[in-house]
């Protein structure tokens, strides 16, 4: 199984954005914000897990890495924070 996502060509991306694209981008931004909240909550819960402390630390670190990836996705989606969907 591959986690590679094919991207559209530059030619397709140069078309003028329409209202439905903005709505889709806003929906995706909302989903990413919700996901970020859930990852942060899970990270806090993982940090206090009982059992081997190294395993709990690794779990929390993986969740923090996921949060970083979500933040980078949001940054790419909003073009560095310049695009505001609302």
């Amino acid at each position: 199984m591959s986690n590679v996502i094919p991207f559209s060509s530059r030619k397709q991306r140069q078309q003028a954005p329409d209202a439905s694209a903005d709505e889709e981008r806003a929906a995706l931004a909302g989903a990413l914000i919700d996901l970020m909240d859930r990852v942060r909550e899970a990270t806090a819960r993982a940090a206090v897990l009982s059992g081997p402390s190294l395993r709990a630390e690794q779990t929390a670190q993986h969740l923090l890495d996921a949060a970083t990836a979500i933040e980078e996705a949001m940054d790419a989606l909003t073009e560095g924070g310049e695009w505001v969907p609302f």
Side-chain angles (χ1 to χ4, degrees):
M1 182 174 184
S2 174
N3 61 355
V4 176
I5 300 171
F7 292 104
S8 62
S9 70
R10 290 185 187 269
K11 185 176 180 181
Q12 290 173 332
R13 288 184 290 190
Q14 290 176 352
Q15 297 172 350
D18 59 7
S20 64
D22 283 342
E23 290 172 5
E24 183 63 29
R25 186 179 281 197
L28 181 55
L32 287 173
I33 291 168
D34 181 54
L35 185 57
M36 177 58 90
D37 290 341
R38 293 172 53 197
V39 168
R40 286 181 179 154
E41 180 184 320
T43 302
R45 292 172 60 192
V48 296
L49 285 175
S50 61
S53 62
L54 179 60
R55 193 68 176 150
E57 288 175 19
Q58 288 174 333
T59 302
Q61 184 60 53
H62 290 305
L63 288 164
L64 288 172
D65 293 343
T68 299
I70 294 168
E71 289 173 349
E72 290 172 358
M74 182 63 81
D75 191 49
L77 177 68
T78 61
E79 298 173 9
E82 295 298 320
W83 179 79
V84 180
F86 319 114

